[in-house]
Amino acid sequence: MQAQKATLNLKITDSNLNSKSVNIGYVNPNADETALRTFAQKANNLTNNTLTAINMTVIYDLTDASGKEDGYWQLSSSDVTVQRSTTDTSTKVNATYITDAIDPPTLEIVEGGNITNANVGLRGQGSSWEVVLNYGYYTGNVKVKLTAPESSQYKKTSTYITFHITE
Amino acid sequence: MDTVTASQELNLDWTFQDGDTRIMKLPNPKNANELAPDIKDLVAYAVSNNILLGDKYGADVATIQSAYIVEQTSTKLDIKSNLGV
């Protein structure tokens, strides 16, 4: 589910009349606005600050249930057709994970191919990877799934690449 | 001469029904002795009005697990004097 969340900021004035904003965290955007304002005032009652304004910011579509923001894959192509030849037995797709990655992604064949006549591998580091398909004598379709690493601070996003190897 | 400033921050450790927590930080808190009634009031209001969910969909706020004041000290170094310039 795409989430919507609100950030509640209090603009407060200190005893020297300096103003600053205090972020008191994410709040339920579905809560009644009057209730949010009352909540902010009650939070401010815990301080010696003079409350001068309550700002509410709604941020759209940033988190999933895990609290992680969206990441996504950028591919040079998600659908590649290659004619098998005797001189070239592999092809590749460039894949970049936006916006961060430290560990390698995981890669699996989800359709077609097998370990003896077609296999896929990864080359690269960080966010930039090459998905290399060694098709050898294989003809047919190979669909692979590329998934961002768990260690990413962003969502564990998957993408698919389909290779068509023709005679 | 170095300038030392001290400030305080009230940390409220909200806990949710699934055991997860989120910390709310408020600068310049009241005296610790005066806080308890207002914290109880804040919790009661948040629970009854379903306030503090944020990214915690599917788990309502339960209570404030702990509240504590963090003392913060910062030192602005007098670089000219320290370096003898």
Side-chain angles (χ1 to χ4, degrees):
Chain A
M1 182 183 79
Q2 290 295 333
Q4 200 183 83
K5 63 185 181 185
T7 305
L8 190 61
N9 292 303
L10 310 181
K11 185 178 180 186
I12 58 175
T13 306
D14 65 18
S15 54
N16 295 319
L17 299 180
N18 295 317
S19 288
K20 55 189 170 185
S21 282
V22 180
N23 176 8
I24 64 170
Y26 298 124
V27 294
N28 179 6
N30 298 319
D32 177 74
E33 185 177 333
T34 304
L36 287 180
R37 290 183 186 280
T38 304
F39 175 77
Q41 286 166 347
K42 286 179 180 293
N44 193 60
N45 286 344
L46 303 176
T47 75
N48 292 313
N49 301 313
T50 303
L51 181 65
T52 57
I54 300 171
N55 302 318
M56 276 183 283
T57 309
V58 178
I59 305 167
Y60 293 95
D61 297 341
L62 281 181
T63 62
D64 65 355
S66 70
K68 288 186 173 185
E69 297 181 11
D70 281 327
Y72 61 93
W73 286 100
Q74 204 167 53
L75 303 174
S76 58
S77 176
S78 61
D79 197 89
V80 180
T81 300
V82 186
Q83 186 169 15
R84 187 165 63 82
S85 73
T86 54
T87 55
D88 197 358
T89 57
S90 72
T91 186
K92 68 177 182 181
V93 164
N94 293 322
T96 304
Y97 185 59
I98 309 297
T99 61
D100 81 330
I102 299 172
D103 298 324
T106 56
L107 184 66
E108 58 181 313
I109 295 178
V110 294
E111 183 184 315
N114 63 50
I115 197 67
T116 57
N117 58 19
N119 59 80
V120 290
L122 279 170
R123 281 199 301 247
Q125 62 179 1
S127 297
S128 298
W129 297 89
E130 289 177 352
V131 178
V132 183
L133 171 69
N134 295 301
Y135 48 83
Y137 296 103
Y138 180 83
T139 54
N141 296 339
V142 180
K143 186 174 182 180
V144 301
K145 180 182 180 183
L146 188 62
T147 304
E150 193 71 57
S151 58
S152 169
Q153 64 178 301
Y154 296 91
K155 264 185 353 186
K156 190 178 176 184
T157 311
S158 294
T159 190
Y160 293 88
I161 304 166
T162 304
F163 297 93
H164 309 274
I165 313 300
T166 62
E167 286 285 357
Chain B
M1 194 170 73
D2 295 344
T3 307
V4 179
T5 55
S7 61
Q8 292 186 327
E9 185 178 77
L10 175 64
N11 286 10
L12 300 176
D13 196 356
W14 291 86
T15 183
F16 295 81
Q17 288 178 353
D18 63 356
D20 208 353
T21 61
R22 296 289 185 275
I23 296 177
M24 179 194 290
K25 300 179 177 183
L26 295 169
N28 194 18
K30 283 181 179 172
N31 185 293
N33 297 330
E34 304 170 2
L35 287 172
D38 286 338
I39 290 175
K40 284 178 67 175
D41 185 38
L42 184 69
V43 172
Y45 191 82
V47 171
S48 61
N49 290 277
N50 197 22
I51 293 288
L52 257 185
L53 282 176
D55 59 340
K56 289 296 299 172
Y57 286 91
D60 289 343
V61 64
T63 186
I64 289 178
Q65 196 173 37
S66 61
Y68 47 97
I69 293 175
V70 178
E71 303 279 349
Q72 296 172 317
T73 304
S74 61
T75 303
K76 186 177 180 184
L77 298 177
D78 183 352
I79 300 296
K80 284 185 176 177
S81 295
N82 289 345
L83 295 178
V85 293

